[in-house]
Amino acid sequence: MTKGRIVCFGELLLRLTAPGRELLMQSGRLDVHVGGAEANVAIGLACLDHPTAMVSAVPDNPLGRGAIAALRAQGVDTSGVQLRDGRMGLYFLSPGAGLRASDIVYDRAASAFAEAPADAFDWDALLNGAARLHLSGITPALGPATAAAAIAAAEAAQAKGIAVSFDGNYRARLWEAWDSDPKSVLTKLVSLADLLFGNHRDISLLLGREFSGDGADRRREAAEAAFAAFPNLQRIASTARHVDDADRHRIAARVDTRERGFQTDEVVVAGIIDRIGGGDAFATGILHGVHSGQGLEDTVRSGLAVACLKHSLPGDASLFRRTDIDAFLEGGLDVRR
């Protein structure tokens, strides 16, 4: 079990989804879910009995207060979520079907979180008693203030001897919306992390080089290059996803350490309900394994289990329990009575 809280820093969002598998505005109706990469991890880990806390900023209105209430209902400590002037960050989802891919429209510019100054967060207090700080590349992509805040958070954690995990989550549309330098910012954040969620493409962006080979060999080559470039890194976790169509994916999970790597076989995930948040669910499962003291192979399998299970659940976050992971790994697909 985690000794100390896992603190997640990022934007709380509302997701507005076309019902069923409609296109946006087809019927004029939208379903609402609370989301955000870091919030999804906080919720998922809380459901797996790890103490978690969310640090963010939302508007002081029913939307912001409703988002806070949704996290609190799942057991996340929300005392670090500020109420500020501004608007709620939104995104709109048209779910994919068959050979039509899902499509997302962001409406998060100038949100209360994006506009919060970097010094709005007292990291000395917010990280008190923390075992880990979890960040993603979405936060620094929102603008210069959030980029500075993410770096300040990671530096404060390192100064306190607190582990830092970083999920690359590269979002080109967000970085391109301002005069950004993603390579420089992301390199700084990864240099402060002990655990990176990312694949060979993320590492290529950071190091400015390509990797040869294919499959597991290429991922290992990229991992070894990242370990050489970033002395603090101890683990790199990634998934390999093959999309047959919107309803059927094949997913494998991998973790590399400095000594070795382990990759699972592919699992066929069919009848997909909602793939959004699958990467956050994978991060949830890996962090669960790490903070439960699991070995490398069991940690990878936990990550794969939570990621696959998330595809069966509407909404952004995994709400599964330890018994659900056990049942998945045992192959129990019949009704549990």
Side-chain angles (χ1 to χ4, degrees), residues 57-221:
V58 295
D60 187 5
N61 63 30
L63 301 181
R65 291 191 294 272
I68 291 173
L71 265 68
R72 190 180 296 133
Q74 299 300 336
V76 178
D77 177 358
T78 60
S79 60
V81 180
Q82 301 177 18
L83 293 171
R84 302 182 65 90
D85 292 336
R87 62 180 295 263
M88 191 78 193
L90 310 174
Y91 79 94
F92 298 81
L93 171 68
S94 176
L99 299 179
R100 172 169 59 83
S102 298
D103 189 52
I104 286 175
V105 176
Y106 288 117
D107 180 22
R108 58 196 297 178
S111 68
F113 179 78
E115 295 293 298
D119 61 3
F121 303 98
D122 180 357
W123 291 111
D124 187 58
L126 292 166
L127 292 173
N128 188 39
R132 174 174 296 278
L133 171 69
H134 179 71
L135 303 162
S136 91
I138 296 176
T139 296
L142 295 174
T146 55
I151 291 171
E155 289 178 335
Q158 185 187 58
K160 285 176 166 286
I162 296 168
V164 176
S165 48
F166 183 75
D167 192 337
N169 268 336
Y170 186 74
R171 298 291 187 267
R173 292 180 184 178
L174 296 176
W175 285 106
E176 292 165 1
W178 59 287
D179 184 20
S180 63
D181 182 5
K183 181 179 178 181
S184 174
V185 174
L186 295 175
T187 296
K188 177 64 176 177
L189 288 166
V190 174
S191 74
L192 296 166
D194 72 291
L195 170 54
L196 170 66
F197 294 97
N199 59 24
H200 61 281
R201 289 185 292 273
D202 297 293
I203 296 170
S204 291
L205 173 68
L206 292 169
L207 302 185
R209 55 170 286 198
E210 298 297 321
F211 300 99
S212 59
D214 197 14
D217 291 340
R218 180 167 59 185
R219 287 174 183 252
R220 184 60 195 174
E221 180 186 351

Side-chain angles (χ1 to χ4, degrees), residues 219-260:
R219 287 174 183 252
R220 184 60 195 174
E221 180 186 351
E224 289 176 346
F227 288 134
F230 300 107
N232 285 335
L233 265 186
Q234 301 302 317
R235 297 181 182 90
I236 300 172
S238 63
T239 57
R241 180 190 297 267
H242 295 92
V243 178
D244 296 327
D245 58 41
D247 304 297
R248 177 186 167 95
H249 297 182
R250 291 172 285 130
I251 304 174
R254 179 181 182 89
V255 170
D256 285 278
T257 67
R258 290 182 172 270
E259 294 76 31
R260 66 189 182 102

Side-chain angles (χ1 to χ4, degrees), residues 47-65:
C47 289
L48 293 171
D49 302 322
H50 297 276
T52 63
M54 186 71 197
V55 178
S56 191
V58 295
D60 187 5
N61 63 30
L63 301 181
R65 291 191 294 272

